[in-house]
Amino acid sequence: MKPILLCLALLPGIAHAAAPAADADAAFYDTVVQQAFEHYHLPGLAVGVIEDGKVVHVATRGELAAGEGRHVDGDTLFKIASNTKAMTAAVLARLVQAGRLRWDDPVTRYLPAFRMYDPWVTRNMQVRDLLIHNSGLGLGAGDLMLWPEPNHFTRQDIIAGLAHLKPAGSFRADYAYDNLLYVVAGEVAAAAGGMSYAALVRQEIFVPLGMDRCQVGEWSPAKAGNVAQPHYRKDGRNVVVGRDGDVASDFPSMAAGGVRCSLDDMLRWMQALLDPARAPGWLDATQRRALWTAHMPMPIGQRLRDWDNTHFLAYGYGWRLSDMDGQWKVAHTGTLSGMYSSLALLPDRRGGAVILINGEGEDARTALMQALLKRQTAPAAGHDVLHYAGLLERERAQRRSEGHVRPVLAPAVAVAAREFGADAGVWTDPWFGQVMLCPAGTGIAFAAVKSPAMRGQVMRSAGRPWVQWQGLGEDAEAWLEFSGEGAQRILRMRAIDPDIDFSYDYPDLEFRRVGDCP
């Protein structure tokens, strides 16, 4: 089979060498990075800024693991989460460039077992559709097959599960973010490229662009060294959760959000995207244009209108495209297991910024990225992180006043096994598989067979049963809702917190009882 890899000499310009920024810019960047680190109590932070194609500022703060004394630097590996999607799209673009596939090829040409709920959609789903969130699936549909991690779902399980996920809208009519179809895209790339997705990412991106620290597929954190660990906030402290073991596995959602890279790697990636001359022949003009074409319109939120005077927002292949203060912006964020990332490019200025955080950093990345980019798009404004932090808190207060808060439950008591009656047993959902609602001690335990992290105790508040998870936190808790009788008895789940992360895809679950407890 003809190799796809272009033999590119790694140009010295791809490896960044920080150029001196103006003193005022350097002071500003240092200030806002420190503000974000302190205000949001981050365990670790890595930030890079590019102007006119050159890296003008690099800043790192904090530790790989809180309290352990190993400091973050430019080589520290972070989970980039959904910023992986742009790399998956670039792999496919390289395959298109090499003539291995076409954007309008049907998915079934490469994956004959691929099925969507609607047979017409199955037949008409093209490779390009996998990347632009236009499938008709609901927001985050089927994400419970991806996380919480670790779980026992395979890529084959995910592809088979798609056939059972009922659409929430019409194919190609509306935007709704999903992750499962990026898993499919990774498998399409593997089928067309003749090797695993992980091998393709190394061959088509990491090697030609000199991203030497990046990791994909199965790898050894101990051997790689200098790896940031994810954190959650607990009792006012940053606590490591999901610490890496000896081997990081090639988990099924790799193509949707599994790559890890260092700050230095991400700056090389950004420079190659901003300036084709830094990697001659890597991607031609046609494929670069395809990645950053507005393929699917997206709704524009009030924040973008107010902060950036945004007039258009759309999804390209693995990227969100918009205008910011009258300038073109190409960006994405990533969130996964206690880590946050954000990458934004201003192509017409050959500028941008990247942020990597190993803790709970949603507001931190939003406020910091806004301050960093505004320095380039609207420098006269002079707003810092604390300004945007204040705006975010006002937004949150407004949402609270509108009822977007977790309801205060009536006093909860554990459901006794004897009172659960015939609802105790084994239940199954067509895509999620089996869960056990079975006696444990004097109570009832909920346990998902393929997702061991989804285990908890059944509680009752004001007569309504719900699950108190052992390790997921109260923001993931869900009501258990039973309906029907006999063979028509159905169990559904519904989030208690109205602002639950969309990846807790409870609305798509529909369990039926299939047997007694073992």
Side-chain angles (χ1 to χ4, degrees), residues 112-156:
F114 172 78
R115 297 286 185 276
M116 297 293 284
Y117 189 83
D118 185 329
W120 187 90
V121 175
T122 300
R123 292 192 300 271
N124 288 276
M125 181 78 73
Q126 299 175 355
V127 173
R128 61 186 297 276
D129 292 310
L130 300 174
L131 304 181
I132 57 178
H133 310 297
N134 70 348
S135 67
L137 291 173
L139 177 65
D143 274 2
L144 287 171
M145 289 188 284
L146 305 182
W147 35 71
E149 296 174 332
N151 62 44
H152 304 313
F153 288 96
T154 66
R155 291 180 176 91
Q156 291 70 35

Side-chain angles (χ1 to χ4, degrees), residues 178-396:
D178 78 79
N179 288 292
L180 298 194
L181 292 178
Y182 267 83
V183 176
V184 178
E187 293 303 282
V188 166
M195 62 184 71
S196 70
Y197 168 80
L200 281 169
V201 174
R202 294 186 194 102
Q203 176 178 280
E204 302 303 319
I205 298 179
F206 297 167
V207 171
L209 301 186
M211 297 165 66
D212 299 331
R213 288 279 295 159
C214 287
Q215 302 292 333
V216 64
E218 184 176 295
W219 57 286
S220 168
K223 183 177 179 181
N226 196 0
V227 182
Q229 299 302 308
H231 296 72
Y232 288 151
R233 293 286 293 177
K234 184 177 181 180
D235 300 327
R237 299 183 301 115
N238 289 306
V239 178
V240 174
V241 292
R243 186 186 292 271
D244 286 314
D246 294 335
V247 176
S249 66
D250 183 12
F251 54 88
S253 60
M254 190 64 60
V259 167
R260 296 202 217 185
C261 286
S262 69
L263 175 62
D264 288 359
D265 291 323
M266 295 302 286
L267 289 166
R268 291 186 179 93
W269 168 237
M270 293 166 67
Q271 287 183 300
L273 291 166
L274 288 168
D275 185 359
R278 290 191 177 269
W282 176 65
L283 270 187
D284 61 29
T286 300
Q287 296 313 316
R288 286 176 176 270
R289 190 178 306 114
L291 295 178
W292 290 353
T293 291
H295 297 288
M296 186 66 206
M298 297 171 59
I300 302 173
Q302 192 61 46
R303 183 192 297 170
L304 282 178
R305 296 181 188 277
D306 293 344
W307 290 15
D308 296 344
N309 193 29
T310 296
H311 293 81
F312 92 94
L313 178 64
Y315 210 87
Y317 293 157
W319 295 95
R320 297 184 184 108
L321 315 172
S322 64
D323 62 313
M324 179 178 188
D325 301 319
Q327 301 186 41
W328 184 24
K329 176 183 170 186
V330 177
H332 214 286
T333 55
T335 306
L336 183 64
S337 303
M339 286 201 183
Y340 286 75
S341 69
S342 184
L343 189 157
L345 303 171
L346 302 168
D348 289 341
R349 301 179 62 93
R350 295 197 306 155
V354 61
I355 299 167
L356 303 171
I357 299 170
N358 64 334
E360 293 190 36
E362 182 172 5
D363 284 0
R365 74 178 174 193
T366 299
L368 179 54
M369 181 59 79
Q370 195 70 10
L372 295 172
L373 293 183
K374 285 287 187 178
R375 190 69 176 182
Q376 298 190 43
T377 66
H383 294 318
D384 62 9
V385 163
L386 299 182
H387 170 81
Y388 294 108
L391 295 181
L392 290 172
E393 182 49 44
R394 283 198 285 277
E395 280 185 18
R396 191 170 292 106

Side-chain angles (χ1 to χ4, degrees), residues 365-509:
R365 74 178 174 193
T366 299
L368 179 54
M369 181 59 79
Q370 195 70 10
L372 295 172
L373 293 183
K374 285 287 187 178
R375 190 69 176 182
Q376 298 190 43
T377 66
H383 294 318
D384 62 9
V385 163
L386 299 182
H387 170 81
Y388 294 108
L391 295 181
L392 290 172
E393 182 49 44
R394 283 198 285 277
E395 280 185 18
R396 191 170 292 106
Q398 179 64 31
R399 287 181 62 80
R400 287 195 295 266
S401 72
E402 295 170 353
H404 286 268
V405 293
R406 175 187 166 88
V408 178
L409 302 184
V413 295
V415 173
R418 64 180 182 278
E419 66 180 279
F420 213 61
D423 286 334
V426 181
W427 296 73
T428 190
D429 173 84
W431 60 268
F432 186 68
Q434 290 187 345
V435 301
M436 319 284 275
L437 283 169
C438 292
T442 60
I444 292 287
F446 180 108
V449 172
K450 285 192 172 182
S451 186
M454 293 186 66
R455 182 177 181 86
Q457 184 173 16
V458 178
M459 310 295 288
R460 193 183 302 277
S461 292
R464 299 182 65 185
W466 55 280
V467 184
Q468 185 176 59
W469 303 115
Q470 287 183 356
L472 299 182
E474 71 173 19
D475 57 344
E477 290 169 348
W479 299 111
L480 299 178
E481 299 179 338
F482 295 92
S483 62
E485 300 295 336
Q488 302 305 311
R489 189 74 163 159
I490 293 173
L491 165 62
R492 293 185 174 90
M493 300 177 70
R494 186 163 62 85
I496 295 175
D497 189 336
D499 286 337
I500 193 171
D501 188 293
F502 66 76
S503 286
Y504 288 107
D505 181 33
Y506 300 139
D508 285 320
L509 294 170

Side-chain angles (χ1 to χ4, degrees), residues 1-64:
M1 187 171 287
K2 183 179 178 182
I4 304 166
L5 178 63
L6 297 179
C7 296
L8 302 176
L10 178 61
L11 299 182
I14 290 180
H16 81 266
D23 289 345
D25 287 339
F28 177 82
Y29 292 141
D30 268 332
T31 295
V32 294
V33 168
Q34 189 65 24
Q35 285 177 336
F37 181 68
E38 293 180 351
H39 184 75
Y40 291 105
H41 309 289
L42 302 177
L45 172 66
V47 179
V49 180
I50 293 176
E51 294 180 8
D52 194 25
K54 301 180 179 66
V55 177
V56 297
H57 199 81
V58 170
T60 60
R61 301 285 192 277
E63 298 174 291
L64 310 185

